[in-house]
Amino acid sequence: MLVLVSYDVSFEDEGGKRRLRRIAKVCQDFGQRVQYSVFECVVDPAQWTRLRHRLLEEYDEERDSLRFYFLGKNWQRRVEQHGSGSSYDPETDTLIL
Amino acid sequence: MKKLLNTLYVTSQGTYLSKDGECVVVRTEDGEKHRFPVHVLDGIVCFGNVLCSPFLLGHCGEAGLAVSFLTERGRFLAGVRGPQSGNVLLRRAQYRLADDPVESARLARAVIAAKVANSRAVLRRCLRDHGDRVHAAAIGRAVSVLDDCAGRLRMPVDMDEARGMEGRAAAAYFEVFGHMILAEDPAFAFGGRNRRPPLDAVNCLLSFVYTLLAHDVRSALEAVGIDPQVGFLHRDRPGRPGLALDLMEEFRPFLADRLVLSLINRAEVRGRGFVRKESGAVFMDDDTRKVVLTAWQKRKQDEVMHPYLKERLPLGLAFHIQARLMARAVRGDLDGYPPFFWK
């Protein structure tokens, strides 16, 4: 299934930069960056549990916000891309470099 | 149920693959190009001068990803699989079975029967679709030879007889294989099977697609913990993945051969995409190789009905299902090995 993860990290305190970096890192381990703080992650339920757990460990409940959008199994027809930026479909694209 | 995962093919020379967190990072001279989380892949195939960091290889081994190294032209060089895994009892059972001539012959017969039936299905499909454009009489004769072989393989036969049937069937099949090529281009004339090196464009395509098939089948076997080297039909030889070759037989006609035929007949590959070396060997150029790889990946996503499980699944998963069924047959949970019969 595809989960869209987006986040806002506050820079008010010292730790903001560090949290931002670490949250991005966790997302990168599971999916691809499609915009600055938006990641598309194709995961199975077990992987999703791990991803969610790791994200909730990194963020600061008081200052930051995390949003998850569940686009399900047939997500291909629910996503449109316009303008700059390229992404790949990890399930069906042929990955030939 | 296992999911059909993607395979990463790296054909750009001088690429460097490394690990960052859970990702494979692809770098070229101009810096980082792509990154893929390891969990969307089930294999990496590197062509020619492609480097992998040891940490990436270790990580792939742990995650169960097969990494294969091929020459630029697609000859297999080495594979990295990580620590020996799987069930040692299963492997012991496999070795005992391989030492038993009666049982090996039984498994070999199942595999050959499927290969013969699937070759026949390929010929019949060609007659049905292009009966008016091909040499129907010759193909018809080959079909009846295969019919005869398939009929005899229904009886219990010993190993030599099974091998003989396979040889006869393969000879009849490849004799008319050229008739199924509808393209006018003389580059695609087919006079018979040859390899190491392939001497014409068709053999070049066949050998290349067989290598891709071998990579996939072998990793499916590794994934279920069965030893890909110890085969039943293909006897042990150092460095040869005997069981992978056994399991490949049933897939060759309808997956590999038909893919080659449709690439040629739909003019997706052209005669000028092949280069002849002084030695007489024929190789494909980079663009043609990419076309073949793309077609192969697309073909694996096609859904088929599994003849034994009666379930729809992507063709690429069939290797894993067959490997699992083979493991069950070896363990004695099934009375015999149910091969993949294509319709």
Side-chain angles (χ1 to χ4, degrees):
Chain A
M1 61 176 178
L2 178 71
V3 183
L4 191 80
V5 178
S6 76
Y7 50 78
D8 240 346
V9 177
S10 151
F11 272 25
E12 271 168 31
D13 66 325
E14 279 291 288
K17 268 199 167 137
R18 175 190 155 87
R19 291 201 306 279
L20 182 75
R21 209 171 49 237
R22 292 183 62 112
I23 288 174
K25 195 110 184 135
V26 172
C27 291
Q28 226 161 41
D29 279 353
F30 288 87
Q32 62 174 324
R33 180 170 238 150
V34 288
Q35 282 175 358
Y36 259 112
S37 47
V38 180
F39 281 84
E40 285 181 6
C41 305
V42 176
V43 285
D44 66 23
Q47 287 160 347
W48 166 240
T49 313
R50 264 170 45 219
L51 169 57
R52 182 171 177 275
H53 176 76
R54 279 178 60 186
L55 286 171
L56 295 182
E57 266 185 338
E58 297 294 352
Y59 91 125
D60 181 337
E61 191 172 18
E62 310 278 298
R63 299 184 178 85
D64 311 336
S65 109
L66 277 174
R67 293 183 78 88
F68 305 136
Y69 301 84
F70 302 95
L71 289 150
K73 243 182 169 174
N74 296 316
W75 54 272
Q76 274 90 351
R77 57 189 175 80
R78 300 201 174 107
V79 180
E80 261 182 50
Q81 150 83 32
H82 300 284
S84 68
S86 67
S87 63
Y88 66 94
D89 173 348
E91 288 180 312
T92 57
D93 277 4
T94 48
L95 306 179
I96 303 172
L97 306 173
Chain B
M1 180 81 170
K2 197 185 143 55
K3 223 172 103 183
L4 175 62
L5 295 171
N6 223 323
T7 309
L8 175 64
Y9 295 95
V10 188
T11 61
S12 306
Q13 297 304 292
T15 308
Y16 182 64
L17 307 178
S18 58
K19 169 182 178 285
D20 179 28
E22 298 280 319
C23 291
V24 185
V25 181
V26 183
R27 282 199 185 83
T28 61
E29 273 176 15
D30 331 322
E32 183 182 324
K33 273 289 167 60
H34 301 269
R35 56 171 60 221
F36 304 101
V38 160
H39 71 81
V40 305
L41 303 172
D42 72 358
I44 302 179
V45 184
C46 305
F47 290 88
N49 180 23
V50 174
L51 297 174
C52 276
S53 83
F55 303 103
L56 175 67
L57 291 175
H59 189 66
C60 289
E62 211 171 297
L65 254 80
V67 184
S68 291
F69 292 93
L70 276 52
T71 65
E72 218 181 321
R73 281 146 192 174
R75 187 167 55 82
F76 182 82
L77 292 173
V80 179
R81 312 285 139 160
Q84 182 74 268
S85 68
N87 189 337
V88 65
L89 300 174
L90 174 64
R91 281 203 299 276
R92 269 185 188 280
Q94 180 188 358
Y95 301 150
R96 273 197 288 271
L97 220 54
D99 284 337
D100 179 339
V102 179
E103 288 296 320
S104 316
R106 221 157 70 94
L107 279 161
R109 178 168 66 99
V111 167
I112 296 172
K115 182 189 186 182
V116 171
N118 291 342
S119 307
R120 185 179 54 182
V122 167
L123 296 180
R124 279 200 186 137
R125 168 102 34 143
C126 171
L127 281 180
R128 191 192 72 190
D129 293 348
H130 311 290
D132 45 339
R133 294 172 62 194
V134 295
H135 193 333
I139 295 183
R141 274 198 297 281
V143 169
S144 53
V145 173
L146 296 186
D147 260 334
D148 180 46
C149 292
R152 287 192 199 194
L153 284 164
R154 260 183 233 120
M155 316 289 159
V157 289
D158 65 19
M159 191 62 107
D160 286 340
E161 232 174 303
R163 285 217 176 90
M165 286 299 129
E166 191 206 5
R168 208 174 130 219
Y173 173 74
F174 276 115
E175 198 172 83
V176 295
F177 190 78
H179 291 311
M180 293 193 279
I181 296 168
L182 305 171
E184 299 291 330
D185 197 331
F188 295 116
F190 181 80
R193 186 78 184 108
N194 53 52
R195 63 213 176 98
R196 283 182 219 178
L199 301 176
D200 57 62
V202 179
N203 276 296
C204 168
L205 285 167
L206 284 173
S207 291
F208 186 71
V209 178
Y210 289 156
T211 316
L212 299 180
L213 179 61
H215 165 91
D216 286 351
V217 169
R218 185 181 169 160
S219 23
L221 288 168
E222 302 261 3
V224 299
I226 197 163
D227 190 337
Q229 295 223 306
V230 178
F232 303 108
L233 169 64
H234 293 85
R235 300 314 297 187
D236 299 356
R237 198 198 289 165
R240 181 163 79 167
L243 189 62
L245 294 172
D246 284 4
L247 204 61
M248 263 172 78
E249 294 294 355
E250 55 202 84
F251 291 109
R252 279 176 203 261
F254 69 97
L255 246 182
D257 301 349
R258 279 197 82 228
L259 187 76
V260 169
L261 286 174
S262 53
L263 281 171
I264 297 173
N265 289 343
R266 291 192 197 137
E268 282 170 59
V269 295
R270 306 272 183 174
R272 57 171 182 273
F274 296 83
V275 219
R276 180 179 292 277
K277 301 276 155 184
E278 285 117 34
S279 58
V282 171
F283 299 111
M284 58 183 99
D285 64 15
D286 290 354
D287 291 336
T288 309
R289 192 174 307 118
K290 280 196 179 151
V291 169
V292 179
L293 284 171
T294 310
W296 172 251
Q297 286 293 83
K298 283 267 172 280
R299 180 76 179 118
K300 282 197 289 181
Q301 287 163 15
D302 286 352
E303 292 223 329
V304 286
M305 184 63 111
H306 193 282
Y308 180 75
L309 301 178
K310 306 273 183 268
E311 237 180 277
R312 289 196 74 76
L313 47 90
L315 252 179
L317 264 192
F319 313 133
H320 293 271
I321 303 289
Q322 290 310 114
R324 202 150 288 174
L325 290 172
M326 178 62 91
R328 284 194 198 162
V330 165
R331 220 187 287 133
D333 296 348
L334 288 173
D335 289 337
Y337 166 67
F340 196 103
F341 285 101
W342 180 69
K343 281 185 199 111

